[in-house]
DNA sequence: GTATTTTGCGTTAACGTTAACGCACCACCC
DNA sequence: GGGTGGTGCGTTAACGTTAACGCAAAATAC
C-alpha cells in the first residue's frame, strides 16, 4: 500500500506538503501541486481510512424528524427499526442519534418539532417530509452548511444531500396486475385511497388505474377517505364498499392499514372471497398475510430506508465521502410463502 | 470513548498489561487479570477498530472456487458480480481475491481446481459446493486452521465458517401458487427438473409438488432432463412436452435456463398461452420477463450470496469478528414491473 | 551456594494521517 | 533600513492499539 510518505518521496517534498495538496489547504506552489498530483496518480494512492479515522475521530450527533411511532398503525416503527440498527452499528464511530417526533396530522406539531431540531446543535438531519408544502418551507431554513437527508418520501428540487425514492406509481401497477390475477379477471375491483393528500398514496392509485386503462378487466371503483384514524367510520366505509358492490372480488388498500380491511372481512366471513393487496410489513399485516386474509403485501423496505438514510449521513459527514443523491428502493412482493425471510434482518431492532 | 489507557489507569497497571489481558497473551497474574477485566466492564470499553486496523494492517488473499462463468447459461456471473463488488469495496483493506474455476459437469476438473486452491497460500476460501459428495470429501482435507465459507449451496454437517441458505422447497411452493394463479386453476401444469441430481432443483420440485398435494389444481406433470447443455435435445424435449399435453397452461422451469423455454414458446407463437415461471436474474431471463414470455422469476439473490460470502470471510479473518453460521436469503418475486429496481445494485460488476 | 529459567510487569516504537507550529525567504511600505 | 505581511515549505506531536523488548524478582536447577 502506498502512503503519503511514498508520495512525498516521489515528489521530492515533505508529507506536510502532500497533505496540503490532498486537502487543498493552500500554501503550495502550482509547480509542487502538479508534482504531488502526478505522484498520487502514478503510485495509485488511496488514503488509509483507518489512520484517517483514528486521527479525526470526534463524536457526531444526527437528528431524526419523523412522526410518533404509533401513528399510521405503527408504520413508523419500521423506519425507526432501521435507524436504530444503523445507530447500533455506528456506535463504534461515536455516532449518536436524537429523535424529534411529531403528530403528522397536526401541522403545528410538525413545525414545533422542526424548530426544536433546528435549535439543537446537530451534525446532520434525517427527515421524513410527510407534510410536503410545510416541509419545503421549513427545510429552506436549514443552514446551508448543515446536511440533511430525506427518507420515506422527498421534496423535488430541495437541496437535500440524498433521498430514498420509492416508485409508488409502478408499485400501484404491480398491485393491479396481482389483484387482477387473483380475481381471474372477473368481478369488480376496488381501490381505497387512504389519505388523499399523500403523494405516495396518490401515485399508487394512479399506477393502479393506469394498469386497467387498456380495459383489461371488468370494472373497478375507487373510494377514498381522509379519516383513516377513526376506526368506527372506517368500518362504516368498509361496509358501504361491500354493500355497494356485491360482485366485489378484490380490493387494493393503499397504506399500512390493510389489516383493518382484512380483519373486517374475517369478521364478516368474507376472507378469501374478496382478495386483498396492501402495503407495508407491520406486524398486523403480516399476521393477516399468514392467516390468508391478505393475499399480497407490497414492501418498499421502510426499515431499510431509515437504515440507508442514517448511513448516508454518516458517509458524508464522518467519512467525507461522496454519496448518491437518490437511493432507489425495490418494490418487494411479499406472500405467506416468503415473508419469513424478510422479517429477520430488522426484527431485532423494533 | 474509553481507551486502554483509561483501563490501565483505573486498574493501576500499564497499557501493556491491559493488552496482554485483552488478548490473553499470558504473563499476567490472576489478580491483575481480574482487576483489568473489572475495569473493562466498569468503563464499558470497546476497542477502537481504527487504531487496531491501522496497527495490524496486512494484505490477505481469499480463494474462490466456482464453476466457469459461462456454465448454466451464465448463471455463475451473478455470484461472481457480487464477489467482485465486495472485492472492490474491500480493496482498501488490502483484500485480494483469486478465482479457481472448474467445469461443473466434470468431477475431475472440480478435484483439480480444489487441489490447486489447497496448494495456494490463501487466508480463506469461498466455495460453491456444487458436487455435493465430492465437495464433502475434499473439504475434509482443508487444514482446520484455514477458514472456508460456502455459497450457492451447502454441505450439512461440514465445518464451514458460514454458509448461505436458500429455502428452495419454499420457493417451489411459492412458484406453484403463482403458476396456479396465472392459470386460473384450469388446464395442465408442468414442472421441468433440469438437473435431477442437484439438491436445490430437487427441493424446488418437491415444494412445487407439495403445494398441489391437497389437490388444489387440475393435473400436473413432471419432466426431467440431465442433458440441459445440449440445446437441440432440450428443444426436442420442449416439443414433446407441449405435444403430450395440449391442455398445458403453465410450466415451472427449475433453473436459470428458463429463457430457453420462453424463447421456444415465442418461436412457436405460444408466448402468453402457456405461462412460465423460472429462476434467476440472468440477462436472457430478464429480457423474456420484459417482453412477457416469462411471467415471474424467482431470485434468491445469487449476486448477494457471493457478496455476503466474501464479506463474511473478511469479517472473520481480518476484523476477527464472530460471524453468523447461516445466512438466510430471501425468496424474491420478480416481475416486469419491479425488475428495474433489482438490477441496478450489482450490474456495475458483471 | 551460584546459575538458569520463569513470571509479571512497564516501556517504547511503530502503523498512516492530520494540522498546528515555525522558519526562511521575498515583497512591499513608510 | 526596519517593520509588516504573505508565501512555500518542513517538522512534529498527536490519535489508540499492538507486540517486541527489557528488566527486576521469584522459582527452579545443579
Amino acid at each position: 500500500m502506498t502512503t503519503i510518505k511514498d508520495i512525498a518521496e516521489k515528489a521530492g517534498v515533505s508529507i506536510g506538503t502532500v497533505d496540503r495538496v490532498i486537502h487543498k489547504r493552500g500554501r503550495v506552489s502550482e509547480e509542487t501541486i502538479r508534482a504531488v498530483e502526478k505522484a498520487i496518480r502514478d503510485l495509485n494512492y488511496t488514503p488509509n481510512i483507518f489512520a484517517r479515522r483514528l486521527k479525526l475521530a470526534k463524536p457526531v450527533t444526527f437528528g431524526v424528524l419523523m412522526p410518533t411511532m404509533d401513528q399510521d398503525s405503527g408504520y413508523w416503527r419500521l423506519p425507526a427499526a432501521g435507524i436504530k440498527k444503523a445507530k447500533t452499528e455506528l456506535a463504534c464511530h461515536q455516532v449518536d442519534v436524537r429523535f424529534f417526533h411529531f403528530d403528522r396530522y397536526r401541522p403545528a406539531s410538525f413545525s414545533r418539532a422542526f424548530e426544536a431540531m433546528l435549535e439543537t446543535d446537530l451534525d446532520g438531519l434525517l427527515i421524513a417530509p410527510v407534510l410536503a408544502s410545510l416541509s419545503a418551507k421549513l427545510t429552506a431554513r436549514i443552514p446551508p452548511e448543515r446536511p440533511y437527508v430525506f427518507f420515506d418520501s422527498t421534496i423535488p428540487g430541495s437541496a437535500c444531500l440524498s433521498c430514498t425514492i420509492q416508485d409508488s406509481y409502478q408499485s400501484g401497477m404491480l398491485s393491479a396486475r396481482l389483484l387482477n390475477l387473483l380475481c381471474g379477471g372477473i368481478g369488480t375491483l376496488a381501490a381505497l385511497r387512504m389519505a388523499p393528500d399523500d403523494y405516495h398514496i396518490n401515485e399508487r392509485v394512479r399506477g393502479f388505474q393506469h394498469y386497467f386503462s387498456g380495459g383489461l378487466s371488468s370494472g373497478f371503483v375507487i373510494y377514498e377517505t381522509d379519516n383513516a384514524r377513526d376506526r368506527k367510520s372506517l368500518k362504516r366505509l368498509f361496509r358501504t364498499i361491500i354493500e355497494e358492490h356485491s360482485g366485489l372480488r378484490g380490493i387494493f388498500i393503499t397504506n399500512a392499514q390493510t389489516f383493518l380491511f382484512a380483519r373486517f372481512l374475517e369478521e364478516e366471513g368474507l376472507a378469501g372471497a374478496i382478495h386483498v393487496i396492501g402495503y407495508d410489513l407491520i406486524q398486523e399485516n403480516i399476521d393477516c398475510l399468514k392467516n390468508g386474509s391478505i393475499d399480497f403485501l407490497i414492501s418498499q423496505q421502510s426499515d431499510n430506508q431509515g437504515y440507508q438514510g442514517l448511513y448516508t449521513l454518516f458517509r458524508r459527514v464522518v467519512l467525507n465521502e461522496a454519496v448518491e443523491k437518490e437511493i432507489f428502493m425495490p418494490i418487494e412482493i411479499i406472500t405467506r410463502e416468503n415473508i419469513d425471510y424478510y422479517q429477520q434482518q430488522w426484527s431485532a431492532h423494533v
Side-chain angles (χ1 to χ4, degrees), chain A:
Chain A
M1 212 185 58
T2 62
T3 71
I4 52 166
K5 215 167 158 183
D6 303 322
I7 306 294
E9 210 162 307
K10 180 121 199 262
V13 296
S14 76
I15 60 166
T17 303
V18 174
D19 186 63
R20 268 187 295 267
V21 172
I22 290 174
H23 295 98
K24 304 193 199 306
R25 288 196 281 125
R27 288 182 164 255
V28 189
S29 71
E30 278 299 324
E31 198 182 354
T32 310
I33 291 179
R34 273 194 298 276
V36 169
E37 283 177 343
K38 180 166 158 41
I40 288 176
R41 277 195 308 276
D42 289 355
L43 297 180
N44 199 13
Y45 167 79
T46 51
N48 182 319
I49 60 164
F50 297 104
R52 171 172 291 175
R53 288 294 305 141
L54 175 61
K55 189 66 181 58
L56 296 181
K58 66 169 200 310
V60 297
T61 308
F62 296 133
V64 177
L65 184 72
M66 61 180 285
T68 52
M69 306 267 242
D70 55 331
Q71 291 205 305
D72 298 330
S73 297
Y75 167 78
W76 295 99
R77 284 187 221 288
L78 299 174
I83 291 167
K84 283 178 192 161
K85 185 179 184 194
K87 177 185 169 175
T88 307
E89 288 180 18
L90 295 175
C92 69
H93 301 259
Q94 296 168 266
V95 170
D96 198 18
V97 175
R98 282 199 52 187
F99 283 88
F100 297 83
H101 291 291
F102 58 88
D103 178 347
R104 69 166 291 186
Y105 297 100
R106 285 172 42 225
S109 164
F110 180 70
S111 298
R112 257 202 314 278
F114 209 114
E115 296 290 348
M117 186 171 72
L118 280 182
E119 280 164 22
T120 312
D121 181 33
L122 297 166
D123 303 283
L125 313 176
L126 183 58
I127 300 172
V130 279
L131 299 169
S133 59
L134 196 50
S135 293
K137 212 173 293 171
L138 287 165
T139 50
R141 293 196 31 221
I142 299 174
E145 74 281 3
R146 182 165 310 176
Y148 61 96
V149 167
F150 289 135
F151 73 104
D152 192 68
S153 62
T154 184
I155 296 175
S158 84
C160 69
L161 197 64
S162 172
C163 62
T164 51
I165 307 261
Q166 354 178 345
D167 191 338
S168 302
Y169 183 85
Q170 193 74 8
S171 79
M173 279 191 52
L174 178 55
S175 303
R177 175 166 170 208
L178 292 174
L179 196 58
N180 196 41
L181 260 186
L182 283 165
C183 301
I186 56 170
T188 307
L189 304 182
L192 180 51
R193 195 197 317 257
M194 290 299 260
D197 51 350
D198 184 288
Y199 173 77
H200 284 302
I201 286 173
N202 271 310
E203 285 298 293
R204 289 166 183 174
V205 174
R206 281 213 313 127
F208 186 84
Q209 286 178 289
H210 179 255
Y211 181 80
F212 293 117
S213 63
L216 270 166
S217 151
S218 45
F220 71 96
V221 288
I222 295 178
Y223 286 85
E224 65 182 50
T225 175
D226 54 359
N227 205 5
R229 286 189 302 166
D230 175 5
R231 298 209 173 172
K232 278 236 175 85
S233 76
L234 209 52
K235 214 161 180 176
R236 276 197 300 276
L237 176 63
F238 292 165
R239 194 171 301 280
T240 308
I241 294 174
I242 64 168
E243 283 176 357
E244 284 183 355
H245 301 277
S246 57
L248 190 71
R249 292 287 306 275
I251 190 164
F252 174 48
I253 311 282
T254 52
N255 74 353
Q257 297 181 302
T258 312
F259 71 96
L260 290 176
F261 194 89
R263 284 186 185 162
F264 170 76
L265 288 182
E266 288 175 38
E267 288 165 16
E268 300 288 316
L270 287 169
I274 297 177
H275 292 290
V276 179
I277 291 187
Y279 278 87
D280 300 320
L281 298 190
I282 65 169
Q283 194 55 52
E284 290 90 337
N285 283 345
I286 291 172
D287 294 341
C288 291
L289 189 72
K290 286 192 171 175
N291 76 26
S293 57
I294 291 177
D295 294 88
F296 288 104
L297 284 170
I298 305 295
S299 162
Q300 300 219 182
Q301 301 194 168
S302 310
D303 22 33
N304 195 21
Q305 289 189 40
Y307 182 80
Q308 296 291 337
L310 199 67
Y311 253 92
T312 300
L313 278 176
F314 168 72
R315 276 197 294 269
R316 186 68 251 262
V317 174
V318 178
L319 301 185
N320 201 27
E321 290 178 4
V323 296
E324 294 286 324
K325 173 95 176 129
E326 294 179 322
I327 300 170
F328 292 89
M329 306 312 293
I331 302 168
E332 291 180 332
I333 305 171
I334 315 294
T335 72
R336 61 201 298 187
E337 285 85 6
N338 69 5
I339 175 65
D340 286 340
Y341 299 100
Y342 283 96
Q343 274 193 284
Q344 19 194 29
Q345 49 183 331
W346 310 104
S347 54
H349 296 267
V350 287

